[in-house]
Amino acid sequence: MSEDLETAAVNTGAEPEAVSTGEFNIRVVVNGVSQGWWTDNGSPEWWITTVSDQSDSTTWTWVDYNGGRYLKKSTNNYLSYRSGNVIYSTGLKMRAWAYAARWNYDPRSKQLSSVDNDNALVGRNGDYFYCNGENVVELELVAV
């Protein structure tokens, strides 16, 4: 399946310049208990998972662009999800700017939702994360 058929988030044009909003790590919390820190599992798929130590986790920044908010790891490396893959539908992963998804974060509830997936909340299933509103987790943005 081609890359463009596996996601609903499609951005055109050059990657925007990031205006620094501060860097942070993301801690996963369920029922008040830390479940680790967000990172990706690397090549070939770059799925979002957790590591136990903050020092091993991904450092993120927000990119505000054209009315949307994007979570950026590094140049041309953004949080997104798969929508066209039957097995991993709505699974969170790192993707290029062209496939970066827009996100909303509520600091009061500590919940992240996918603008591009009907504002579905981010949850966890096993070792991986999805924007499907199931098994919703709290995500704490911890400044670095």
Side-chain angles (χ1 to χ4, degrees):
M1 179 177 281
S2 72
E3 192 80 14
D4 62 340
L5 295 177
E6 295 180 357
T7 187
V10 178
N11 300 303
T12 58
E15 178 181 5
E17 287 291 323
V19 176
S20 181
T21 58
E23 294 181 330
F24 52 90
N25 300 122
I26 300 175
R27 178 177 27 225
V28 179
V29 177
V30 175
N31 297 323
V33 177
S34 178
Q35 304 294 304
W37 299 84
W38 262 16
T39 194
D40 64 67
N41 67 355
S43 183
E45 293 293 331
W46 309 98
W47 298 110
I48 298 300
T49 188
T50 59
V51 291
S52 57
D53 294 323
Q54 181 179 3
S55 62
D56 295 328
S57 69
T58 296
T59 299
W60 303 88
T61 190
W62 285 111
V63 173
D64 294 323
Y65 177 73
N66 204 23
R69 289 199 98 188
Y70 301 84
L71 276 166
K72 180 177 182 176
K73 173 181 172 181
S74 59
T75 300
N76 208 27
N77 211 354
Y78 293 82
L79 183 66
S80 193
Y81 65 93
R82 281 278 168 93
S83 63
N85 183 305
V86 175
I87 297 171
Y88 298 108
S89 182
T90 69
L92 300 188
K93 66 183 304 180
M94 300 308 297
R95 315 264 323 261
W97 163 246
Y99 304 101
R102 296 173 295 163
W103 303 95
N104 279 329
Y105 179 74
D106 181 345
R108 288 172 290 143
S109 68
K110 299 179 183 174
Q111 293 177 331
L112 184 68
S113 62
S114 171
V115 173
D116 297 305
N117 193 31
D118 295 325
N119 287 306
L121 292 171
V122 169
R124 185 176 189 175
N125 187 351
D127 291 333
Y128 298 98
F129 294 85
Y130 298 82
C131 56
N132 60 9
E134 298 176 13
N135 306 313
V136 174
V137 296
E138 292 181 0
L139 300 173
E140 296 178 350
L141 280 52
V142 179
V144 294

